[in-house]
Amino acid sequence: MDPTDPAGEAPLPCVLSFNASDPTGAGGLAGDALVIASVGAHALPVATGAYLRDTRETIGHAALDDAAVAEQARMVAEDVPLQVIKVGFAGSAEAVAAIAAFAADYSDIPLIAYMPDLSWWDDQEIDNYLDAFRELLLPQTAVLVGNNSTLRHWLLPESTTHRHARATDLARAAAELGVSYVLATGLALPDGQIGNVLASPQAELCTQTFERIDASFLGAGDILSAALAALLAMGSDLTEATLEALQYVDQSLDHGFHPGMGHAVADRLFWAETDDSVLEADADASPSTDIPDPFNETKH
């Protein structure tokens, strides 16, 4: 038995997540940690700053100094073995550069990058951020995750046909910048369906279609990218991890709720819910200390 592991079990796979703090709990670091734990891995959260928002709107972001971002990552990575790196909102072009320099030192670790909607931000800040991400982080990205509309406007800005661009078009544009795969979400389909496609420059590798949910959610992209990163860290292949991550997001959204006066928030612990009938049947039973299995039922 390993003396550093009292339980005598293998340690959980670890995902290092760069992201901002989100006071709504819908996305950001808290969301990443919750999703990664739900899937069955361990999150190493590195703060890049804090969103200034509620469930109704985002009004700004307080960025953390890029040196502090880099030092957080460096210290934990020198202590804990990493399986996957996930990059959410870095908060500034300077932080993107710091994260890229860190990732270059761990080039054998897969990097999953999520590009959120930045329309709430200042135009100059957006341009600086996207330029830095394009030049410094995309060349190191294994899978780029984002909403179809967000990725089209970023990767195909000059195309007169970008409104009808396919996932493979996005993947080809991303590949020219060094990205291996693109996972595009939110493709509008007939009959109220929503399409999600994992693509390489050559082909669509897998497609998952869901019914449109009649609600506007915060944090769905963070959930998907965090779930994908955790599943890859646990040893799933890319196609399998993508399909399972999409199923996890769909069920999380399906069990969503409105904690405030604005957008809905996904229930990432939907798998831990207990039917009222079961609660009533067990009302007189002795308290249990059993912990529900994670979403994918992997045991450690």
Side-chain angles (χ1 to χ4, degrees):
M1 179 183 298
D2 183 348
T4 64
D5 184 5
E9 299 179 357
L12 297 179
C14 294
V15 178
L16 190 145
S17 172
F18 293 95
N19 216 336
S21 174
D22 177 2
T24 72
L29 280 183
D32 284 353
L34 187 56
V35 169
I36 291 167
S38 292
V39 170
H42 177 65
L44 303 170
V46 174
T48 61
Y51 284 111
L52 306 176
R53 75 181 183 191
D54 56 19
T55 62
R56 294 169 295 186
E57 62 178 343
T58 302
I59 65 169
H61 175 265
L64 196 60
D65 181 77
D66 57 293
V69 173
E71 189 66 3
Q72 290 177 78
R74 184 193 65 77
M75 289 191 67
V76 74
E78 290 178 357
D79 177 46
V80 180
L82 311 179
Q83 275 69 51
V84 174
I85 297 169
K86 184 240 174 176
V87 180
F89 183 50
S92 69
E94 292 77 14
V96 169
I99 293 169
F102 168 83
D105 290 337
Y106 293 86
S107 57
D108 57 329
I109 306 297
L111 189 150
I112 310 302
Y114 167 56
M115 180 53 66
D117 173 25
L118 301 175
S119 60
W120 53 269
W121 214 8
D122 175 79
D123 287 345
Q124 188 59 56
E125 294 280 8
I126 294 174
D127 289 344
N128 293 341
Y129 186 84
L130 292 179
D131 287 347
F133 214 102
R134 181 187 297 107
E135 296 171 12
L136 302 175
L137 262 181
L138 287 189
Q140 303 183 65
T141 297
V143 184
L144 173 63
V145 181
N147 181 271
N148 177 57
S149 177
T150 299
L151 295 183
R152 281 191 288 109
H153 285 94
W154 181 30
L155 299 176
L156 301 170
E158 304 301 328
S159 173
T160 58
T161 60
H162 70 274
R163 289 186 179 181
H164 307 288
R166 298 170 298 176
T168 48
D169 295 325
L170 293 172
R172 279 192 287 271
E176 293 178 359
L177 301 168
V179 178
S180 300
Y181 304 94
V182 167
L183 175 52
T185 66
L187 287 85
L189 300 175
D191 302 322
Q193 300 281 312
I194 296 295
N196 307 279
V197 180
L198 173 70
S200 71
Q202 293 77 34
E204 294 184 357
L205 304 180
C206 65
T207 301
Q208 188 70 271
T209 302
F210 298 109
E211 294 288 339
R212 183 185 296 274
I213 297 175
D214 189 21
S216 176
F217 284 86
L218 282 174
D222 265 332
I223 296 172
L224 176 58
S225 50
L228 176 64
L231 288 161
L232 291 173
M234 296 176 68
S236 296
D237 66 42
L238 179 57
T239 300
E240 177 187 9
T242 298
L243 293 173
E244 189 167 353
L246 286 166
Q247 287 285 350
Y248 176 85
V249 173
D250 184 59
Q251 293 187 57
S252 296
L253 299 180
D254 193 48
H255 289 77
F257 61 102
H258 280 89
M261 296 180 286
H263 299 286
V265 173
D267 181 4
R268 288 136 300 181
L269 293 178
F270 66 88
W271 50 265
E273 291 182 1
T274 304
D275 291 338
D276 291 341
S277 58
V278 175
L279 289 174
E280 292 172 2
D282 293 345
D284 297 328
S286 300
S288 172
T289 58
D290 291 342
I291 300 174
D293 292 333
F295 168 70
N296 65 351
E297 299 184 352
T298 301
K299 297 183 180 181
H300 304 280

